[in-house]
Amino acid sequence: MTLLPDCFCPADGTRVTAESLAWCCPVCRGPLDLDFAPTPASLKSLKGRVNSLWRYAETLPLAAPSISLGEGRTPLVELREGICAKLDFLMPTLSFKDRGAVLLIGLAQRLGPRQVVSDSSGNAGTSIAAYCARAGLPCTVYVPEGTSAEKREHIRAHGARVHLVDGDREAAAQAARQAADEPGGFYASHAYNPYFLHGTKTCVHELWEDFGGRLPDVLVLPVGNGTLLLGAALAVAELFGAGLIDRRPALYAVQAAAVAPLAHAWEEGAEDLTGPIPMASTFAEGIAIPRPPRARQILRAVRDSGGRFLTVTEDQIRHAQLDLASQGLYVEPTAAAGWAAAREGLLESIPPSRLRSNGGIAPVMVPLCGAGLKTGPARST
């Protein structure tokens, strides 16, 4: 077996060995990063490889596991002139979370825990449950009481135990962490475990390949825990560091106005979350995260890219979902949040210096991350 990279705490430098079941820094209890700096393969060398995210093997910290369900390599479609969508809701469990879950559970399979524990508002839990089923690992998913019945049923269908938590998304996370601290527990956290980020980054590696070695000027990404945005930042850094792109795209982070802690911090010019977090009900349950553990990293990644934060209202999310459905793309409200931001004159608001003629490449990309079949339409409350 290939050696696994060690983890380290980006806040204080504490190291955690690859064989450890520790899910956070033992000193500050913060999330971990990987001591891993891969070099992507050239476009030419990708020809003829497996048609999944594992074609980017050089950039992944884990050898292709036996639990792969063929995740990755999702299509691109044009939504409007200048704006394209990546259809990540066409993954095996109908969300982009499969990109991270296959690495995370591949790691768990290597470490052999007694129990896999996760927390989720639905999509991540379904994905973790599916890959645990594939790996033959017992799994418990803690979900907040407001999680849709459809998503809870999807999790149970894969043989996982669903533990309904009386409270919000953060309450579910706290319950899962407490369970994960029990001996032999593996916390399959898409927020804390860096393997997840190294899976989600493959979305951008695919964009780079599909666009012939180039990237759009702006990536518009829904953000709750920030796993897709931070994965995108990882991929951009890898491609730029290897000299495979000559310019980094701007990362535009989208939050629901009802739960927008990062957008508020951005407006205040803060480097981290500060003060009380206002909370209200939102259709976009997947990004309704009041205190994302990687908040500081998310804010820095957006700032360093030359991007910005955007917020969208409940009406804008609902109308964006209906607009996508009218184009043949039925996605959940959370997935529609990015399009809600992009369709509101985003191209006109982007500084001209960010946009350039790029050989026919749409300058803006929006990922559609989860299928509408999981939650149904966004309705007025």
Side-chain angles (χ1 to χ4, degrees):
M1 294 191 297
T2 57
L3 294 176
L4 299 176
D6 287 342
C7 294
F8 69 94
C9 174
D12 58 34
T14 301
R15 298 188 69 82
V16 176
T17 63
E19 296 77 19
S20 172
L21 289 175
W23 57 268
C24 65
C25 172
V27 177
C28 71
R29 302 285 284 181
L32 299 170
D33 284 347
L34 276 185
D35 188 3
F36 181 61
T39 300
S42 66
L43 277 178
K44 183 177 180 181
S45 67
L46 295 175
K47 292 181 179 179
R49 293 192 181 189
V50 62
N51 193 37
S52 72
L53 64 79
W54 297 98
R55 69 195 284 113
Y56 311 106
E58 290 88 350
T59 71
L60 300 175
L62 190 69
S66 60
I67 62 172
S68 175
L69 293 168
E71 54 286 325
R73 299 298 292 148
T74 54
L76 289 165
V77 298
E78 185 176 75
L79 295 178
R80 181 180 294 174
E81 185 177 359
I83 304 176
C84 68
K86 188 156 177 61
L87 309 189
D88 260 18
F89 68 91
L90 299 180
M91 291 282 195
T93 75
L94 307 183
S95 91
F96 87 99
K97 297 289 177 63
D98 291 350
R99 293 185 183 275
V102 68
L103 267 83
L104 199 49
I105 303 309
L107 172 64
Q109 191 178 40
R110 287 278 296 267
L111 299 179
R114 178 183 56 82
Q115 173 82 3
V116 173
V117 176
S118 181
D119 60 272
S120 172
S121 60
N123 282 337
T126 301
S127 191
I128 294 298
Y131 284 96
C132 279
R134 187 79 166 169
L137 293 172
C139 177
T140 299
V141 182
Y142 291 76
V143 302
E145 59 184 352
T147 301
S148 68
E150 293 90 344
K151 288 184 177 180
R152 298 201 304 266
E153 181 54 36
H154 288 169
I155 294 170
R156 291 191 184 99
H158 294 299
R161 175 174 173 254
V162 174
H163 190 114
L164 197 62
V165 177
D166 182 14
D168 59 13
R169 184 67 180 75
E170 182 57 27
Q174 290 175 356
R177 292 167 198 158
Q178 185 176 359
D181 283 334
E182 296 295 323
F186 178 90
Y187 186 26
S189 170
H190 49 293
Y192 280 83
N193 195 302
Y195 275 77
F196 203 93
L197 305 181
H198 284 271
T200 61
K201 74 182 182 184
T202 57
C203 176
V204 170
H205 283 288
E206 290 175 19
L207 281 175
W208 171 77
E209 182 182 3
D210 289 342
F211 283 141
R214 292 166 292 177
L215 286 175
D217 293 297
V218 175
L219 307 181
V220 183
L221 307 163
V223 172
N225 273 312
T227 54
L228 184 56
L229 185 141
L230 290 174
L234 275 173
V236 168
E238 291 169 2
L239 292 166
F240 187 80
L244 296 173
I245 55 173
D246 59 8
R247 189 184 189 196
R248 301 172 188 250
L251 304 179
Y252 277 44
V254 181
Q255 295 208 287
V259 187
L262 293 161
H264 290 311
W266 176 267
E267 291 171 2
E268 294 171 358
E271 295 184 357
D272 206 343
L273 302 183
T274 58
I277 306 298
M279 289 279 292
S281 176
T282 176
F283 300 133
E285 62 182 12
I287 53 173
I289 310 296
R291 291 195 173 276
R294 296 185 185 269
R296 180 178 288 271
Q297 289 177 287
I298 297 165
L299 289 162
R300 184 172 64 245
V302 172
R303 186 177 299 109
D304 290 349
S305 76
R308 56 182 288 201
F309 276 82
L310 305 168
T311 59
V312 289
T313 67
E314 299 303 289
D315 279 347
Q316 287 173 329
I317 293 170
R318 180 172 59 249
H319 293 153
Q321 187 190 32
L322 293 173
D323 184 33
L324 288 168
S326 75
Q327 299 184 56
L329 302 169
Y330 187 42
V331 302
E332 64 180 354
T334 298
W339 178 232
R343 70 196 289 263
E344 298 291 331
L346 178 62
L347 279 174
E348 290 75 19
S349 69
I350 297 173
S353 61
R354 283 294 339 170
L355 301 175
R356 60 181 176 178
S357 175
N358 213 6
I361 292 177
V364 176
M365 189 283 295
V366 179
L368 301 180
C369 303
L373 296 174
K374 290 193 169 193
T375 56
R379 293 186 174 92
S380 298
T381 53

